[in-house]
Amino acid sequence: MTGLDAARIRAVVRKELRDYQRKRSIVVTMVILPLIFLIEPVVTIFAASASTPGLDHYVILPLLYMLLIAAIIPSTLAAYAVAGEREQGTLEPLLTTPLRSQELIVGKGAAVMLPTVVLSYAVFGLFLAAVALFAKPAVGSAVFHQGPVLLALFLFAPLVAGWAIAVGMAISVRASEIRVAQQLGMLASLPVLGVILLLLIGVINPTFTVAVLFAVGLAAVDVAALRIVSSMFDRERLVTGAKAARARPTLGSHQPALPATATLEGRPSEAVALSDHFGPNCNRFAHGGSAGRSLTQRNADRAHRGQLFW
């Protein structure tokens, strides 16, 4: 993934963030889910006392429980990244821009990462502030003496989010409906639940060394997963796959041409903004001509000739 254009990636990030602001369901998800995952740790900590058996071990679960915020929110947002745009018809004009697949993946992933990390750290901060101000002294001391676990929370939040984003986008690329992508994207939280379980039963001993090693390993997994998602990103399949599947041509039969992709004119403002950002090269793709026809138009021609098979 070398040679990426930072300006193009920033343009994609700005577009995605504007999309999130306009989608009420996404805004509600980003507000409600963190609060839900904050309730259980707060209740657990405030119900504990100095006489609670194994207090030092008892406070680990509420702390690690909040890591699920970084696993579940990105999987929901990443599912919208491709499947959602394809349902709304905003993906085709985006794919006709000169954006490289890696730039599009990184831009969409960064747009999911930013609110996730901000919300995760905000919830961590609120939880620690509530413990310091309102929890019983013995319980507060037990929480703040969990140095390795607190380090893991701050190190793992962006790394777990990166893993969830990669899984969510891989599913979104293949899924035909956004609901299916969101439901399957929840599978990204299973490895996090597995690590939490291993910590609770004592298989993994939480130390600073273990936290750093896990962070390094998870970073390597995130990079590998991002490369895999980029290799799965097939522009022509994303544009024509669903339509071609419904109209499978047969030899000797005449099939109507697939509808051509609309130009960027009349499309949502973000696509036009990207067109303006990329300049004349994008205009060639957007406004037709023998050298600038869209991917869908070219595939429509092939389908009309009976040459496009799925």
Side-chain angles (χ1 to χ4, degrees):
M1 289 195 182
T2 57
L4 300 182
D5 190 327
R8 293 181 177 183
I9 293 174
R10 286 195 298 271
V12 175
V13 171
R14 287 193 295 268
K15 169 198 171 299
E16 294 295 309
L17 293 178
R18 284 194 294 266
D19 283 348
Y20 296 159
Q21 292 174 357
R22 285 198 299 267
K23 296 287 290 184
R24 181 174 299 179
S25 60
I26 292 179
V27 174
V28 171
T29 298
M30 289 193 291
V31 172
I32 299 299
L33 274 182
L35 295 178
I36 292 175
F37 284 103
L38 182 60
I39 292 173
E40 194 277 340
V42 168
V43 171
T44 301
I45 292 298
F46 286 4
S49 64
S51 60
T52 302
L55 182 59
D56 288 339
H57 188 72
Y58 177 84
V59 300
I60 292 178
L61 176 59
L63 291 172
L64 295 177
Y65 184 78
M66 289 185 291
L67 270 180
L68 292 176
I69 298 172
I72 292 179
I73 290 180
S75 61
T76 303
L77 297 180
Y80 172 81
V82 178
E85 288 215 48
R86 183 162 50 189
E87 281 189 4
Q88 294 183 349
T90 58
L91 184 63
E92 293 180 8
L94 185 61
L95 294 179
T96 58
T97 65
L99 270 171
R100 295 172 56 189
S101 297
Q102 294 90 340
E103 292 167 347
L104 186 59
I105 292 293
V106 171
K108 285 180 173 290
V112 176
M113 177 73 76
L114 288 174
T116 299
V117 172
V118 169
L119 289 171
S120 297
Y121 285 160
V123 170
F124 295 163
L126 286 174
F127 174 78
L128 294 177
V131 170
L133 293 174
F134 305 113
K136 299 177 179 67
V139 178
S141 178
V143 170
F144 285 100
H145 276 82
Q146 297 294 331
V149 178
L150 295 175
L151 176 64
L153 285 177
F154 286 93
L155 284 180
F156 285 8
L159 298 176
V160 169
W163 159 256
I165 290 168
V167 173
M169 293 194 70
I171 294 172
S172 184
V173 166
R174 295 297 182 182
S176 58
E177 297 180 3
I178 185 171
R179 289 194 178 185
V180 175
Q182 288 176 337
Q183 292 168 358
L184 293 177
M186 302 296 283
L187 297 174
S189 63
L190 293 181
V192 181
L193 289 173
V195 172
I196 293 175
L197 180 61
L198 292 176
L199 285 166
L200 289 178
I201 64 179
V203 175
I204 300 176
N205 184 27
T207 64
F208 285 106
T209 303
V210 170
V212 172
L213 290 177
F214 261 88
V216 172
L218 189 53
V221 170
D222 287 349
V223 172
L226 191 60
R227 291 180 180 274
I228 293 173
V229 173
S230 296
S231 66
M232 295 170 58
F233 199 86
D234 185 341
R235 288 175 181 250
E236 295 202 7
R237 179 187 178 279
L238 290 173
V239 172
T240 64
K243 295 177 181 178
R246 290 195 297 267
R248 189 186 304 271
T250 57
L251 291 175
S253 63
H254 177 75
Q255 296 292 337
L258 294 174
T261 302
T263 65
L264 292 183
E265 297 175 350
R267 282 297 193 182
S269 59
E270 290 80 3
V272 178
L274 286 174
S275 173
D276 295 338
H277 173 77
F278 295 135
N281 288 332
C282 184
N283 291 332
R284 284 190 308 162
F285 284 86
H287 298 293
S290 59
R293 291 184 303 169
S294 68
L295 291 171
T296 306
Q297 181 63 56
R298 294 198 301 271
N299 281 318
D301 294 343
R302 292 203 298 272
H304 185 71
R305 295 195 301 268
Q307 296 176 353
L308 184 61
F309 294 93
W310 291 87

